[in-house]
Amino acid sequence: MAQTIDHETNRVAVGKPTRRMDAEEKLTGRARFSGDLAFPGLLHARLVLSPYAHARIVSIDTTAALAIPGVVAVYTADTLKMAKAHESSRSQAPLARDEVFWCGHPVAVVLAESEALAQDGADAVDVDYDPLPVVIDPLAALQPDSPVTRPRSKDETSEIAGGGTHADVGNTQAEEEEQEELSQNVSDNVHMHIGDIEAGLREADVVVERTYRTHSVHQSYMEPQSITVVPEQTSGHKMRVYASTQGLYNARTDISNALNLPERQILVEPMPIGGAFGGKFGLVEPLAAAVAYAIRKPVRLVYTRQDEMLAGNPAPQSVITVKLGANRDGTLVALQARIILDSGAFPGAAAGLAGHLISSVYRCPNTDIRCYEVLTNKVSVGAYRAPDAPQTAFALESTVADLCQEMQIDPLEFRRQNGLRGGEPSGNPRRPTLPPLGLIECLDAIEQHPLWKERQGPKEPPAELAGWKIGFGLAVGGWPGGNDVAAAACRLESDGTVSVVVGTVDLTGSDTSLALIAAEAMGVPSSQVNVAHDATDTMPYSGATGGSKTIYSMGPAVMAAARDARQQILQIASDMLEAAVDDLEFKNDSVAVKGVPGKSLSLQKIAQASTSFSRRGPVYGQGRTPVPEGSPMYAAHLARVAVDPDTGEVRVLDYVAAQDVGQAINPPAVEGQIHGGVTQGLGWALFEGLEHDENGQLLTATFMDYALPHSFDVPNITPILVEVPSGPGPYGAKGVGEPPVIPVAGAIANAIYDAVGVLPTEIPITPERLFNALHQ
């Protein structure tokens, strides 16, 4: 059962448990996704993927494929005319030209009348390869004498998914970095430092240092990468796009650049998304649009699950060394870290973001953090729920547990003593003091929970786990909070209901939360409000949906639009009721004169009056949001696990997740985010990881080999909603999607440490790895 720590209000909609608007059509199977749409003459696309991790393309023979009845066309990088095909951009140059850079690199695309025929055609394409040296290990790729992963231009930069570079989140590179001898495979490196790290380490009474490894993890959404593109000859558009994407405008821009077409000629329609978690900010849209534009017929491209593993954009692998120094009184005085992120074949691991994340949890006067993004012959990476945060939190929180054990200090008290607090100096001249933070409040909530108190008593396993060892693990984590510009419209319909028009994509019930915000701003029941999505031609502008910024950025725009519409309604009602605006109030679906029973007008009558032949005009409110400062969000997690010392098997028995949500707009939706994030975090901690052999062959290319948590692996999860309101957020709301996944691996590792005295340093913590660690 969820617990809530909040501030009581008299609100009419915000904070009230509300069923998701999309629940019925998704539960009944009526929702239509981009891969469900049918059009006359539809062709199916299938990719031809490289079996080599690095090789020169000698020739591509499509004769046999084109001879198969029903195969319509085969395109390669040379025959598919894309405007930026020679650039070093995976989305703009999606088909390999001259060389392949990872096992799974697309070299051709086959179009056929059915998916089966397209697959037959793909299997018949004959590609002659000349193998080249393969670089798989990021540590080896970092060395100056390493073979080069691939040719690249010097101006390639690491982009954070959704927009932005490391300069947005970290300090600039130090001068001495220019003298460091680095491999040509290093696509980004950042050095962040405050104070004097050597002096801090000398001052410390206790110093601990450990190195950690994490594996690349796939987002594993239910709906794979999916897009249908329909060329048009009318309405001024060249094509209509139905894509499973987190950003409609992003997709339009990417397609415009790839085909050198004006954006106004590309119409991107909003579609339901069967999961994304950061993996659908843009990958297949330019390719699908290019083949549809070339053949002038509707084209559908839907990844198979194996395509996802081989040619998706998973989270990066990492190697992280953390050194912490503290005094005997529990004061943290030194934090040193070296973070190496494996970005695969293209930049994108956001080294600066990783450095910012590891340095934005605890106060420390002396920090020195070096971050490297390294290219290897593996699939290039993308965002996955709190990019870089699960990896850095696992390393940092595990080292904190080791430090607390060495000092014999309470792990919660250490975190409370050193954790960041709102109002403290930030070190950022653009924002001198930290905004309201909920890290300490989350720790307080964990301390008050019975599970925390239980750790003091006997650690007896359940009867069915006799002989197993019980342990408790604490970990915290934070996310800086995304932000973006947004606009919204609010329209009064003829039946008296209200339509809110937005350009965001509805992920995990965001439409329902936006409806609650609009209802609160207008003072009407949420049942009166609907959320509508237009296509890119007509919808108000919105950035991509992700980074825990949808409600935080779009919410204020919706609130402003609803308030504008409310004022217009009151003006019309004032004329019709012959009463001052200040004397009017909303009552359910009507506007009434305060204190005068029976003197009211329904919103339906007001709407009809506004659109009749009069001087009033229709009600159409508008709102927009500038780029606000982000509102950092934190979580504290506590896990109880059982470990079988004879086999290394781990079972998570209970889990408590306290999270600062600012204001829970729709509490059940927030609790659902926490449940889902913790479950995905369990995947990071215990099950998931892409594995390659020394030749770059992916060994976990299907769900037969790539392990995901099953329902019986998920314990009882108790969310605690801590509410420390954010100033810029709507009604104090903060983002909630990223934090739940961040502390999980650290909490599980620390619980194992508590149970058996061995601290895991590699995730996933498989039974084999733990068994070996226990018996070394």
Side-chain angles (χ1 to χ4, degrees), residues 271-405:
M271 296 297 298
I273 297 182
F277 310 114
K280 295 180 179 177
F281 277 111
L283 183 63
V284 299
E285 291 82 6
L287 173 60
V291 295
Y293 189 63
I295 204 162
R296 295 295 195 273
K297 290 185 177 181
V299 170
R300 176 188 297 161
L301 172 61
V302 178
Y303 267 16
T304 66
R305 190 59 60 180
Q306 192 169 53
D307 290 342
E308 282 288 352
M309 297 300 187
L310 289 167
N313 50 0
Q317 177 184 355
S318 72
V319 181
I320 303 174
T321 299
V322 178
K323 181 186 286 189
L324 297 179
N327 292 334
R328 284 293 177 189
D329 65 359
T331 303
L332 186 65
V333 295
L335 190 166
Q336 188 174 42
R338 186 172 187 257
I339 303 171
I340 300 169
L341 298 173
D342 183 347
S343 191
F346 290 87
L353 176 59
H356 174 76
L357 290 166
I358 207 167
S359 63
S360 59
V361 179
Y362 300 108
R363 292 189 310 278
C364 188
N366 306 292
T367 64
D368 188 273
I369 301 167
R370 296 176 184 269
C371 311
Y372 305 86
E373 178 185 89
V374 185
L375 302 184
T376 61
N377 292 119
K378 287 183 276 193
V379 64
S380 61
V381 302
Y384 178 22
R385 201 166 193 162
D388 297 345
Q391 301 96 312
T392 54
F394 164 62
L396 178 61
E397 291 301 291
S398 298
T399 312
V400 167
D402 200 19
L403 181 65
C404 291
Q405 176 68 23

Side-chain angles (χ1 to χ4, degrees), residues 522-552:
M522 291 195 70
V524 300
S526 59
S527 58
Q528 291 283 107
V529 180
N530 298 302
V531 175
H533 297 269
D534 280 347
T536 48
D537 266 15
T538 53
M539 72 184 194
Y541 179 81
S542 170
T545 300
S548 290
K549 64 182 175 63
T550 303
I551 299 302
Y552 184 74

Side-chain angles (χ1 to χ4, degrees), residues 16 21 27 50 168 171 175 222 227 248 313 391 412 494 528 565 573 611 617 628-629 644 713 725 746 751 758:
K16 309 296 182 183
M21 298 171 64
L27 288 172
S50 166
D168 297 323
N171 297 332
E175 292 181 4
M222 287 194 291
I227 180 172
L248 304 182
N313 50 0
Q391 301 96 312
L412 191 147
S494 59
Q528 291 283 107
T611 55
E629 294 284 357
D644 184 349
D713 296 313
V758 171

Side-chain angles (χ1 to χ4, degrees), residues 710-727:
H710 293 274
S711 58
F712 50 78
D713 296 313
V714 181
N716 175 57
I717 300 171
T718 301
I720 303 177
L721 308 187
V722 177
E723 296 187 322
V724 178
S726 158

Side-chain angles (χ1 to χ4, degrees), residues 61-72:
D61 186 353
T62 64
T63 306
L66 291 170
I68 298 174
V71 172
V72 177

Side-chain angles (χ1 to χ4, degrees), residues 663-751:
Q663 162 70 56
I665 301 296
N666 185 12
V670 176
E671 293 163 12
Q673 287 273 39
I674 293 174
H675 276 270
V678 169
T679 301
Q680 288 181 316
L682 293 175
W684 278 88
L686 297 172
F687 301 99
E688 298 183 52
L690 295 173
E691 298 278 358
H692 296 78
D693 68 12
E694 66 276 9
N695 297 315
Q697 295 296 309
L698 183 63
L699 304 177
T700 51
T702 72
F703 280 162
M704 293 291 289
D705 308 296
Y706 182 90
L708 286 169
H710 293 274
S711 58
F712 50 78
D713 296 313
V714 181
N716 175 57
I717 300 171
T718 301
I720 303 177
L721 308 187
V722 177
E723 296 187 322
V724 178
S726 158
Y731 301 104
K734 298 177 183 177
V736 299
E738 255 68 20
V741 75
I742 297 171
V744 183
I748 300 300
N750 293 344

